[in-house]
Amino acid sequence: MKGKKKSDVAVLLDYAGSRKGLTFLGLTFSAVSMLLSMVPYICIWLAARDLIAVAPDWTQAHGITRYGWMAFVFAFAGIALYFAGLMCTHLAAFRTASNIRKKGIAHVMKAPLGYFDANASGLIRGRLDAAAADTETLLAHNLADIVGTIVLFISMVILMFLFDWRMGLACLLAAVISIISMASMMGGKNASFMAQYQAALDRMNKSGTEYVRGIPVVKIFQQTVYSFKAFQASIEEYSYFAEHYNSHVCSKPQSVNLTFTEGAFVFLVPVALFLAPEALADGSFAGFITDFVFYAVFSAIISTALARIMFASSGIMLASAALGRINKVMESPTLKNPANPMEPHGSKVEFMDVSFTYDGATTPALSHVSFTAESGQTIALVGPSGGGKTTAASLIPRFWDVSSGSVNVGGVDVRQIDPHVLMDHVAFVFQNNRLFKASILENVRAARPGASREQVKNALMAAQCQDILDKLPEGMDTLIGTEGTYLSGGEQQRIALARAILKDAPIIVLDEATAFADPENEVLIQKAFATLTKGRTVIMIAHRLSTVVGADQIIVLDRGCIAEQGSHKELVAANGLYARMWADYNKAVRWKISSEKEDE
Ligand code: ADP
């Protein structure tokens, strides 16, 4: 285990990789630039000193032009170095952001497929992208400003002794008060308030998104925004926190802060008035006036630096919130690849005492499930909704890994098979198979990138897609999802089947999804199923019992356990859960037929 927890900045800098050094170089430039930008103020002091010394015969002051040039050169060098520093920090910040994106995506690629069901890939990308961008302000700008301000403070303490410590202390006091008031808004007991405020903001954003997604429902049911109680409550909660934070937490400290940031001379003038008589008395009035001029002008630099610190603190908060989101992606579980992968032999699928509990769930979705599908057999998973059919099927292509027990393919635990080899062995057709915004050719070819045009065409024919190709303007090359070329659910299902046929894997895991199948599509889909499953091991999630009658084995899953297993005949004879489901199914079919007859 790691000893000390790394600071957010250290964690972010690690992402910069080889450009981490550039950040430090940039910060050094920023520090030196702050020192250089102070020289012009010293030049003003020198010029004032010389002028006062020769007053009123100003022509006697010889060094003024030199001081002017010096001030110009140092001011210019300070600005140039500041920009050079920013260039370095930007280069590192951009690399950090790009590495965060790359590492995040590389990590997500190792996540189990089920992770993408729970987290839409667009959402993950968006989250990573925004979080990576949010770190830029801190790394490119704020860190340099923080370092510059620290250098300013150290210099102020040194200058106090070089010029007049009492007037220096007056300026320093103003700066210290302003920093304390800034810290009081964000630190101590207000830090937890800040966290609550951020959480309220997050909740409002989240429920806002839900609300926008739910607009169709709002319209259909003639509801108003008030029916979205969660959204309304989150807005009210946020507005309470925002108002409370403004009026109770920020108003006083911010007034103090602004007063002292903008008017560092609030202490300077009284101190000067207090010191003036003494200086007049001992004849050092000229020196006193020079020092006063210096501090009066110098106070301007203090207010600029303090304003930067204020922006820096918001940059730090933004970046640490972003880092939290980045860590959430990086800490998501990944599939462990086997160190010494084993080759599966044949296409037997075995569940050996498999239990599985979803992350965060209290009850297992599957418990102690064992069954075997011999090579070439068809196994049907049936049972009431929520019984665990989809979960069981998902474990075969490793959408998730079992909690205990093992799922074996070709005699080898799926966790011991190289993921690519496993993917070559198992084709799956689930309800939510998505088609990309690409041509039908590309969509089908995704299953086997090396496939020729001819092979894709054959797969499409075998999946009964002829009618789809006929009606599309450019046949197989038509882009799906653009300008009116949308496919119906049944048509999409057939394209997905063509993909699985092209893949030519010995094991097929499929969800016999028929919710959308109109009679015409249904016949075609059944034909495509027949081609796809011929001679292969099939694990099928069956929704309608008519399709399972011919299965070699039926597994009845109820509340995660195998309630019964056997052939259709055996299970009907056993007179258990399956027999009841079968009777209900037949009753429903009869009811449907008779109601159709009455309609005629
Ligand atoms: P079936 O396919 O038989 O309808 P599932 O396998 O989908 O059943 O679900 C089995 C159990 O697991 C159910 O209780 C369901 O609520 C739960 N479940 C399914 N998917 C998830 C998930 N992603 N996270 C948590 N629980 C889940």
Side-chain angles (χ1 to χ4, degrees), residues 274-348:
F274 178 74
L275 294 176
E278 185 192 317
L280 268 176
D282 67 10
S284 61
F285 193 66
F288 164 77
I289 287 288
T290 325
D291 287 349
F292 177 73
V293 167
F294 170 77
Y295 280 112
V297 181
F298 188 70
S299 62
I301 211 177
I302 300 176
S303 66
T304 319
L306 289 178
R308 279 186 192 165
I309 277 269
M310 201 149 110
F311 288 120
S313 57
S314 74
I316 291 174
M317 278 194 288
L318 196 68
S320 76
L323 191 62
R325 298 201 299 274
I326 294 163
N327 286 342
K328 215 166 164 188
V329 173
M330 298 292 188
E331 283 158 11
S332 61
T334 53
L335 283 184
K336 288 188 186 49
N337 286 347
N340 300 305
M342 288 156 72
E343 278 293 318
H345 295 290
S347 57
K348 186 163 139 181

Side-chain angles (χ1 to χ4, degrees), residues 118 358-359 361 363-365 383-392 400 541 557:
Y358 282 100
D359 253 358
T363 48
S385 169
K389 303 181 288 291
T390 312
T391 308
W400 312 106
I541 302 172
L557 282 171

Side-chain angles (χ1 to χ4, degrees), residues 9 24 115 125 192-193 246 507 551:
V9 172
F24 294 115
Y115 176 75
R125 195 200 59 80
S192 64
F193 190 87
N246 270 328
I507 298 167

Side-chain angles (χ1 to χ4, degrees), residues 505-577:
I507 298 167
I508 312 282
V509 180
L510 62 84
D511 188 342
E512 173 238 33
T514 47
F516 40 73
D518 44 278
E520 212 170 295
N521 248 315
E522 173 148 6
V523 173
L524 295 173
I525 288 175
Q526 291 303 341
K527 270 193 190 166
F529 266 5
T531 316
L532 173 65
T533 55
K534 205 166 158 198
R536 297 187 166 98
T537 309
V538 180
I539 312 286
M540 173 170 74
I541 302 172
H543 299 278
R544 294 160 323 135
L545 296 187
S546 63
T547 52
V548 308
V549 175
D552 296 293
Q553 211 186 152
I554 298 165
I555 311 284
V556 186
L557 282 171
D558 186 17
R559 278 168 284 177
C561 300
I562 297 191
E564 291 173 293
Q565 74 188 95
S567 69
H568 172 73
K569 255 192 187 154
E570 288 164 355
L571 292 181
V572 171
N575 212 10
L577 177 57

Side-chain angles (χ1 to χ4, degrees), residues 20 105 108 165 254 292 346 383 385 391 394 412 434 497 507 589:
K20 190 173 171 178
I105 295 296
V108 165
W165 69 270
Q254 181 64 353
F292 177 73
S385 169
T391 308
S394 311
V412 180
R434 291 193 187 92
L497 286 173
I507 298 167
V589 172

Side-chain angles (χ1 to χ4, degrees), residues 6 10 17 32 60 62-63 77 97 161 170 191 213 236 265 276 287 292 332 367 412 482 485 522 578 591:
K6 270 189 170 181
V32 176
Q60 291 302 305
H62 296 299
F161 294 99
R213 284 209 189 115
E236 277 166 10
F265 44 83
F292 177 73
S332 61
S367 54
V412 180
T482 48
T485 52
E522 173 148 6
Y578 181 80
W591 176 79

